[in-house]
Each structure stands twice: as structure tokens, then as C-alpha cells.
Amino acid sequence: MRTLFFALLSPIFVFSIFFAASCKTVALGVETAGHILEGTAFNEKTVKVYKTADKNLDFRVISMKDGERRAVFTLNSIPYLRFYCSEPDATGHFSVTRLNFLFSNPDGWMEGAMAVSGMGVLSSDGNFSIDGDINLEEITGGAIRRRDRHISGERAVTELRNRSERIASVITWMKERPSPWGGAEVSLAGFESYWRPILLPEIAPTKQRPIRFNELKKDGEYSYGENVRWNTAYTRELFPEHLRRLRDSGSLLRDWEEAAAWFYIYYNWYTIVKTLNELVRVTA
């Protein structure tokens, strides 16, 4: 795994980016800081750029420091994801091979690389699309920043893999419940405002808490984790047995506070891929 160059930037500079940015732009600000810290900002040189008219899709052919050429594309609507690909061949076809993610939070950020597999095409007449699914595979690298603490190497990879598995398990349960949006697209803010009071009513404003949670408070059954007293009776009603420990230990709270966007991405992965399946015109 690449060495992270934390000595290049002071914590004061990094956290000034966190707090100077608005909620809407913090992911972009931290992404820039994260890539500078990691050194990747200096490893990629843009060779050619293609964009859609609405600028939502950005597809770039890049040259790496070692001379290898690749491609990377991003969606402006989810700026914390970067899809790495092979350079389009003579027919315009390319393979999607890696997904880089960066999720920010008030205390730091986490970034990782995940192996993926998929195919796409950028035709000579400027049409771009992804053919079929993009399959998520194993996390292969990453780093985590929590205030002044930095985790890297295999320890970070293990923590990110464990978090990915926990989030995927919760998302499987979420998707078994009726969608409050009826299949329509939802923003990250809308996703958070709906699910946070359901999953974590103890830390939600009183008026947003589920009625059933308030009814079960009188049972007086609690566990403690992450400095929160969790209503275990509510946990038993909410979750199947294999997920209850996540809530009652505070692990779900930590996962949500540090990476709510990760929940959002897994929940909406089908919608994201479906968007990429649609043929769009890009221009250089």
C-alpha cells in the first residue's frame, strides 16, 4: 500500500478544510486533502477530459507517474466515489477495475480502494455507458483518520472490510422493508433524515423518534456502548437476532457517524449503476 504523507500537511490545515466547507462541499474538500496526504494528487496527469452537458459525468484518460495510462470517471452527484478503468481500446471498450471512496465526518475521514468488475464503452461518436452491473468485490487498501489518530496498512484494511460487512448486513435488512420513496431517487440528506431516527432514536431529537421507541422506553432494558444507553427492547423489535449486537454495542452508531454515505451508497447501488447504464453523450 502506498505510504501516506501526513508530514506534508499539518492537522490544523486539514481540519480547516473540514470546517471551512459547507455540508454540501465537505466531501469534495476532504477528498482533495485526502489525496494530497496520500500522494495520489501527484501521481495522476490528465491526458483528456470528457464531460456531459450537465457536467454530472466526468470521464478522464490519465497518465500515471510510471507512464501507464488509465481512465477514471466520477459522478458529480456522488463526488466521494471514483471509478478507475482501463483506457478505452480502439473500439472504445474499457474494464472497470477499482472503486476509490472517501467518506468524511466531523472528526476525520476514511478512504479505501475496492476491487470491482464491470464493462463500459466510450464510442467514437461520444456516447458513454456502463454495460450491465458493476460488481463490488474486496477492499484492497485504505486509511482512516480520527482526529489526530491515523490508521493505515493492514489494520486499516481489516477495519474497512469489517465495516463494509456490517453495513452490507444492515442494508440487506433495510431493503427488505418497504421503501419510503416508492422507488424514486433520494438524496443523502433525505436518506439520513429518514433512517437515523429509526436506527438510532436515542440520539435523535425527541419529536423525530418512532412512537414505538417511546412506548418501549418504560421497559427499562438497556445496554451501554459508545457512551449511549441503548434500549434493548427496541433493538429486539427492530432487528433480527444477528444484527442486534451492532446496535446495542454502539457499533452501528460509530459506523453511521463516520460513514453514513457508505450506507447510502450500498442502499442505492442499483440506482447508481442503473444511471450509469443509460447512454449519455460526452464531449472533450
Side-chain angles (χ1 to χ4, degrees), residues 3 44 74 96 109 155 177 223 268 284:
T3 301
E44 300 176 2
T74 58
V96 187
W109 47 261
R155 184 176 177 185
R177 299 167 67 94
S223 67
N268 290 286

Side-chain angles (χ1 to χ4, degrees), residues 4 6 11 14-15 18 37 105 107-110 143-152 155-156 159 163 226 254 258:
L4 298 182
F6 280 92
V14 174
F15 284 100
F18 289 170
L37 288 169
N105 60 75
D107 292 328
W109 47 261
M110 64 182 62
I144 301 168
R145 183 77 171 185
R146 293 192 181 105
R147 294 189 181 273
D148 58 351
R149 184 184 177 203
H150 168 228
I151 304 171
S152 61
R155 184 176 177 185
E159 185 167 330
R163 172 160 285 174
E226 296 294 329
R254 173 66 68 86
E258 292 189 356

Side-chain angles (χ1 to χ4, degrees), residues 181 186-198 204 208 256:
W181 303 286
V186 60
S187 66
L188 173 57
F191 178 82
E192 287 190 86
S193 65
Y194 175 79
W195 281 109
R196 184 183 177 93
I198 293 175
Q208 295 179 16
W256 186 272

